Amino acid sequence: MIKSFTPNDLVRYIYQEMPEVEQELLMQALHSDQALMQEYVEMLSTIEQLNQIRLQPSEKVVNAIKSMAHSTGLQKV
């Protein structure tokens, strides 16, 4: 019986949260199932893009926080 793998299985594989026996089965499935391989490659690409995102608050938000802190008498850290 061949196990069907889900997107959740792919995520577990990518983040190495899968038992070694199951990893072997998934690797075999990736080699034989083009659609699964495509989904795996797309996930890797998405993760790569997410890892490159650097979020920073806008200057307006930082200034509003500083202003609020100053007006409430909070000490400088």
Side-chain angles (χ1 to χ4, degrees), residues 1-13 18-19 21-30 32-33 35-36 39 43:
M1 177 201 261
I2 297 175
K3 178 179 176 7
S4 295
F5 289 98
T6 67
N8 287 339
D9 293 323
L10 291 174
V11 171
R12 290 176 40 239
Y13 177 73
M18 182 180 275
V21 172
E22 196 175 1
Q23 285 181 24
E24 288 294 324
L25 293 173
L26 179 58
M27 287 173 47
Q28 291 173 11
L30 286 170
S32 62
D33 184 340
L36 185 64
E39 191 166 3
M43 280 189 180

Side-chain angles (χ1 to χ4, degrees), residues 37-54:
M37 178 59 88
Q38 180 64 32
E39 191 166 3
Y40 172 68
V41 169
E42 288 173 7
M43 280 189 180
L44 289 177
S45 175
T46 300
I47 289 169
E48 176 70 26
Q49 291 172 12
L50 288 172
N51 288 337
Q52 292 177 9
I53 295 174
R54 300 286 180 239

